[in-house]
Amino acid sequence: QILIRRDIVNTMAYASHAMGRIDTARPDLRKAVAKNTTITGQCRVNCNPKAFLDQKLVKIFAFQGQENRHEQRLRLQQELRVLLRRHYDKHPVQQSDAYKSLLTPRPKTLKPRLKP
């Protein structure tokens, strides 16, 4: 599961059909998730490293059927966060380049700025 704060969900994701085609019937995911109804269809999440490193913005939950594998996954995620932070703290230009690379091309439905 990937949980994205509602006030930034339109910046981080967009409603889609199969193969990532934009679903124009659901242009505003924030409104779609606010309704007390079943949501059908897909969405695509844009991996913005800055947001994924900030647990106030995005939270990821992964579960395994076997407890030891679940613990290994959690440890791996924690180690990966530390490694990414250390690397990008030392190489801010690479961090900027990584953001640009991950967010280009950006679907037209996404708003241009991420508000922390």
Side-chain angles (χ1 to χ4, degrees):
Q1 290 180 328
I2 299 175
L3 303 179
I4 301 172
R5 235 176 45 194
R6 286 184 184 193
D7 61 329
I8 65 165
V9 71
N10 287 337
T11 303
M12 298 289 303
Y14 65 95
S16 71
H17 295 289
M19 307 302 290
R21 291 176 304 139
I22 295 173
D23 181 353
T24 56
R26 296 180 296 144
D28 189 338
L29 281 179
R30 183 176 180 181
K31 286 182 182 177
V33 297
K35 295 177 183 176
N36 191 17
T37 60
T38 301
I39 298 173
T40 59
Q42 302 177 11
C43 75
R44 295 290 186 267
V45 176
N46 294 293
C47 184
N48 179 326
K50 188 174 184 179
F52 276 75
L53 290 172
D54 185 346
Q55 291 190 359
K56 293 177 187 171
L57 300 175
V58 176
K59 291 186 181 184
I60 300 174
F61 296 93
F63 299 94
Q64 294 287 334
Q66 298 174 343
E67 189 172 337
N68 64 335
R69 285 191 171 190
H70 179 66
E71 290 172 5
Q72 290 171 354
R73 179 183 291 267
L74 293 175
R75 192 169 45 254
L76 174 67
Q77 288 175 334
Q78 291 167 346
E79 291 171 7
L80 181 59
R81 280 192 198 107
V82 170
L83 290 172
L84 286 171
R85 281 191 184 119
R86 284 183 190 160
H87 175 78
Y88 287 133
D89 284 347
K90 293 177 185 175
H91 306 284
V93 172
Q94 288 182 359
Q95 181 179 18
S96 177
D97 290 345
Y99 292 158
K100 288 176 188 172
S101 176
L102 287 168
L103 296 174
T104 305
R106 179 187 308 227
K108 292 178 185 177
T109 60
L110 292 181
K111 296 180 181 175
R113 294 192 177 168
L114 173 67
K115 296 177 184 177

